[in-house]
Every structure is written in C-alpha cells, then in structure tokens.
Amino acid sequence: MEIIEMNPEATDLVEQAFTVLAAAHRADTPENPAPVERFFKTLFTHAFPGRENHWFACVEDGALLGHTRLTFFTDENRELAMLRFGAVHPDHRGRGVGTALLDHVERFSAEHGRTTVLTGAPVYWEGGPARREDFARLLEDRGYAKALTTVNRRSPVDPLGPEREAEEYAKALAAAGDAYEVRQWIGAVPDDLLDTMCRMETMIISEIPLGEIEMEVEQMTPEKLRGREAVYAAEGRIIAHSVALDRAGEIVAWTEVGVDEGDYRDAHQAITIVAPGHRGHRLGLLLKLANLRQIRERFPHVEYIWTDNADVNAPMIAINELLEYTTVDASAEYQRKLEA
C-alpha cells in the first residue's frame, strides 16, 4: 500500500473514490442520504474562495482502498487543517488504511504550517440505528479530543400538514409583527442584498455553538460570496433562501436549504441564524416554515429535509422538534494540536 496525492485529472481514481464512498455509505450509514456523484466529483475541481483542497488516496496495485480530503484555509484560520475523511472500502478495513491516511495528512499538515487538525466521525445517537465508531476510537487513540457533537435529524418536507402549518406560521408572523419583511429567492443572492448578506455570513462563526472548536471569524466579501455561488452551480446544488429584513432593509435573520439538481428526494438544511437584537420574535421558525413552502412549490420531488445541530443548541433543537424532525445519528467533531 502507498499514499498518493490525487490529481483531479486522474479520472479513473476519482471514479474509484466515488465507488468506495458509495460502498462505505451502504455499509455504514444506509439510512442517510446517498452520495451525489456530481457533487462529489466537483469537490476535486472546485474549492470555495479562501480554501485549498488536497485529496489523498491509499492505493495498492492500482486499486483505491480509501481516500480523504484535507482543506487548508488561506485567509483566516491559517493554522487550521480541516480533514474530511472520505472512506475506506469495507472489503479493505482492518489493514491499517485509515491509520496510514491519518499519518500522512497529519504530517502533510504540519509541513505546511498547520498546527491544528479538525475532523469528524459518525457516532451512535440514542434511538437511532447502530453506527460503527471505529474511526472515532482511532482518533481518540491518536490524541484527538472531542470538541463538539452535532446531531443529524430528518423531517418530511410537509411535517405539520396544511392546517397546523398555517396556524404556526400565523403565530410566528404575529410574533414578528410589522417590523420585518420576509423575502425569498432561489439561487444567487440578489445584488441589492449582497452587502447585507455578507454581514450575516461573517456573523456565523461568532454566533453558532462551536463547543471547544477553535476557529476565527471568517470575513465574507461580495467576491467570496459570488465565488462560492459559482462552486454551487458547478456542483449542481441549488440554494433556497428565506430572509427577514428589518425596516432599514438589512437582513437580520436567514435560513437556507440546498437541493441537488436531479430527482434526489433529500434536501439539506444549512444555516438558520437570527442576529442578536432580533431574537425572541420567532423569526427562525417563521423563515423555516416559509422556506418549506418555497421548496414544496419549486421542488415537488423533494420528500425530506436533513439537518444537523450542535447538541447544545437548545433554541434550534426546539424549532426542529416542533417541525417534527427525528434523530438519526450524530457526528463527533474532534481536534488535535500537532507537534511542532
């Protein structure tokens, strides 16, 4: 076995990497959304602005046994390496493939001036299906410390039914009063909201629960935001947005859901955030209900919305429980300080 850095132009290895990912999904997390091929392959050729991706594979006699993606931040958080462990093929587990990949990416990170590696591992959550926790145990054995647990949940796209949804929406709208305007769109952020959306994006790291994760606020700019939207377009990911504007026309609350192009039944709830000073008006619930309506109208093939939240994020968990999200599993986020 040897570890190589994958060239995005090596299409055979990229094809094998997706095959390995799909096999691992079937073996380990079949209840979760299946990998989307176009989305996965675009990760090799495109990176968000302020990111630099490196792909590594463990190969033997031309066969790819396992792979992983390492992301370096190039603006803020330049000491951080974000490791997203791809997969080890079920037929080749127990041979040290994961250990070899970890050895390599940790060494590579240190050589490139990174002092902290952040990664995640699937874990069992009470009431959910069984989960192999081999990778989590491997991380702990190597000195990684658990920094945050996020819980993975799923809800039907129409969880409440027409009457109850209308009732909850009316109550949330009344709580918001006439101080806010709801605005929605699909795809790119409208030009007139670009600057205020950048301010909301910049707020995220300082406002969401991060547990013990050490991460600097990342400054979002119009150029970065447009660059990220270009990556979404290449991936085939369509974003449905709902925002609340205050009387000054500033975005003060926002939610978004990603839908993959094609007939995929699963959509992915991303950020839901309300700016300090505007909380307590049920804006989060209002926008999530509005976005569900938008998704049902624009993407009638979507059946489920998936989301994950920090296990300590009580306000968002309460909203998700009202929307009848059910727990599936969880991810433990681990970080390790590398030796100089």
Side-chain angles (χ1 to χ4, degrees):
M1 295 188 302
E2 64 173 331
I3 306 299
I4 62 170
E5 184 163 4
M6 295 177 66
N7 183 337
E9 296 179 0
T11 55
D12 176 62
L13 279 180
V14 174
E15 291 283 352
Q16 288 191 59
F18 182 76
T19 298
V20 168
L21 181 66
H25 165 78
R26 290 191 297 269
D28 300 334
T29 57
E31 300 84 2
N32 293 354
V36 177
E37 187 170 5
R38 177 178 171 183
F39 176 85
F40 175 78
K41 290 181 176 179
T42 303
L43 295 174
F44 285 85
T45 55
H46 293 70
F48 286 164
R51 307 283 195 277
E52 175 186 295
N53 289 327
H54 298 272
W55 287 85
F56 299 97
C58 181
V59 297
E60 182 179 58
D61 298 329
L64 188 149
L65 312 182
H67 58 86
T68 193
R69 173 167 55 103
L70 189 65
T71 299
F72 292 161
F73 295 81
T74 59
D75 297 330
E76 299 85 6
N77 296 295
R78 291 178 60 85
E79 76 290 344
L80 182 63
M82 184 83 74
L83 171 62
R84 285 299 173 247
F85 202 82
V88 175
H89 196 287
D91 293 344
H92 296 285
R93 293 175 179 172
R95 300 180 55 196
V97 174
T99 299
L101 284 166
L102 274 174
D103 285 341
H104 187 88
V105 297
E106 288 170 3
R107 185 167 56 250
F108 185 89
S109 297
E111 290 171 352
H112 288 77
R114 309 291 153 156
T115 59
T116 301
V117 177
L118 178 66
T119 190
V123 293
Y124 168 79
W125 194 258
E126 184 177 358
R131 287 291 182 256
R132 294 173 58 101
E133 298 191 2
D134 310 48
F135 188 54
R137 302 293 82 79
L138 174 62
L139 292 173
E140 292 171 0
D141 290 344
R142 296 175 69 92
Y144 284 78
K146 187 184 293 186
L148 180 71
T149 299
T150 58
V151 183
N152 189 33
R153 295 177 170 89
R154 184 182 83 164
S155 170
V157 73
D158 188 10
L160 304 180
E163 291 185 9
R164 188 176 168 209
E165 181 181 289
E167 177 184 336
E168 294 293 344
Y169 188 84
K171 288 192 293 186
L173 196 62
D178 60 1
Y180 304 100
E181 172 195 352
V182 174
R183 187 165 166 185
Q184 299 180 281
W185 68 90
I186 303 291
V189 176
D191 288 340
D192 66 309
L193 295 180
L194 189 57
D195 289 338
T196 183
M197 180 59 84
C198 286
R199 286 190 284 274
M200 287 295 290
E201 290 266 10
T202 300
M203 182 189 303
I204 291 174
I205 293 299
S206 61
E207 293 298 328
I208 63 172
L210 287 177
E212 301 302 317
I213 294 175
E214 299 175 9
M215 183 175 290
E216 299 171 357
V217 170
E218 184 175 11
Q219 299 296 319
M220 180 59 70
T221 66
E223 294 74 22
K224 280 187 175 182
L225 196 151
R226 291 302 189 213
R228 190 173 65 184
E229 289 173 342
V231 176
Y232 287 149
E235 292 170 337
R237 178 149 295 192
I238 307 164
I239 308 299
H241 301 265
S242 292
V243 302
L245 306 176
D246 66 8
R247 288 172 177 163
E250 295 292 318
I251 297 176
V252 297
W254 162 46
T255 192
E256 69 173 33
V257 169
V259 179
D260 291 298
E261 286 184 2
D263 58 358
Y264 301 100
R265 67 175 188 166
D266 299 298
H268 300 270
Q269 172 72 56
I271 190 69
T272 299
I273 188 169
V274 179
H278 296 274
R279 294 169 184 167
H281 301 284
R282 307 195 76 180
L283 293 176
L285 176 60
L286 178 68
L287 294 181
K288 292 190 81 162
L289 288 171
N291 222 26
L292 286 176
R293 291 181 179 181
Q294 179 171 226
I295 291 165
R296 292 197 301 266
E297 291 170 0
R298 298 292 297 272
F299 307 103
H301 62 282
V302 169
E303 297 179 33
Y304 297 103
I305 309 292
W306 291 77
T307 190
D308 58 77
N309 305 104
D311 62 347
V312 294
N313 191 349
M316 192 53 58
I317 291 171
I319 292 176
N320 287 338
E321 288 178 346
L322 187 151
L323 295 176
E324 300 192 0
Y325 276 85
T326 56
T327 298
V328 179
D329 57 9
S331 176
E333 297 295 319
Y334 287 90
Q335 63 184 7
R336 179 187 173 189
K337 299 291 186 181
L338 300 176
E339 297 180 3

